[in-house]
Amino acid sequence: MDTHDCVVVCGVDGSAAGERAVEWAVDEALRRGCGLRAVTVWSWNGPDYGTTLNSAEEARNRAVDLQNRVLEKMVGERREPGVERLVMEGRPSEQICDAALDAELIVLGSHGHGAFHDALVGSTSLHVIRNAPCPVVVVPDPPRAERRHRAAMARHHRSPGSQGGVPMF
């Protein structure tokens, strides 16, 4: 990684929102003149029915491959800010916060599972927001963001005060 006075940390998980977050983080790192620290977190709890992972080494290798694919796709030919790649074992929210101790910003993608899922299993984004040593940007899941936008526009056009009413904040 190039020598920079600042760093933007980005979680890399291979999801659509995660890829969008990497793209946003690269742009922000370039704008700020910062380096980019890409963080991919993996875990392996032993062989499990239905999993294709046979060892911790295989789980780590898969995480490295995923990170390489995402960064190649999202950074590719662009003038990159200098990318430091971290592949770490553990809980994603904890590892991302630890990787951001010297960061100016953390950028994450939102999976958009919804409130019920997040209440049951927790949300990496929420844990990071609560424990981050710096500001956090959560980039929305593209399909979910589009659905929410269409729903908001439909509500706006149906509401009685939408034609010249006073805005309420």
Side-chain angles (χ1 to χ4, degrees):
M1 181 170 126
D2 295 339
T3 304
H4 291 280
D5 291 334
C6 61
V7 66
V8 171
V9 170
C10 184
V12 179
D13 66 2
S15 68
E19 288 184 0
R20 194 168 172 207
V22 171
E23 183 176 38
W24 197 95
V26 168
D27 290 342
E28 187 63 16
L30 286 169
R31 188 183 73 73
R32 291 176 183 231
C34 292
L36 179 71
R37 183 174 297 146
V39 179
T40 302
V41 182
W42 63 275
S43 65
W44 189 74
N45 297 323
D48 194 5
Y49 178 75
T51 185
T52 59
L53 301 174
N54 297 314
S55 68
E57 181 181 1
E58 192 174 333
R60 184 186 185 290
N61 290 341
R62 185 174 286 181
V64 169
D65 290 344
L66 178 140
Q67 186 182 78
N68 288 338
R69 280 193 316 271
V70 169
L71 291 176
E72 179 62 31
K73 178 180 177 183
M74 304 314 296
V75 177
E77 303 288 324
R78 298 169 57 178
R79 183 176 64 91
E80 63 180 67
V83 180
E84 176 185 0
R85 298 167 185 242
L86 296 179
V87 177
M88 306 158 73
E89 180 181 14
R91 184 174 179 195
S93 58
E94 292 173 0
Q95 296 292 29
I96 289 168
C97 286
D98 287 350
L101 291 175
D102 62 342
E104 286 202 1
L105 183 69
I106 298 172
V107 182
L108 302 172
S110 170
H111 287 275
H113 292 298
F116 182 72
H117 177 273
D118 289 346
L120 289 177
V121 299
S123 166
T124 297
S125 297
L126 287 175
H127 287 274
V128 170
I129 289 167
R130 288 184 185 128
N131 298 294
C134 60
V136 179
V137 171
V138 180
V139 178
D141 174 60
R144 184 174 180 160
E146 179 61 30
R147 285 191 305 273
R148 287 182 153 219
H149 175 73
R150 284 195 310 266
M153 293 303 291
R155 282 192 308 274
H156 174 72
H157 291 298
R158 285 194 312 259
S159 67
S162 66
Q163 305 300 321
V166 176
M168 297 181 71
F169 297 104

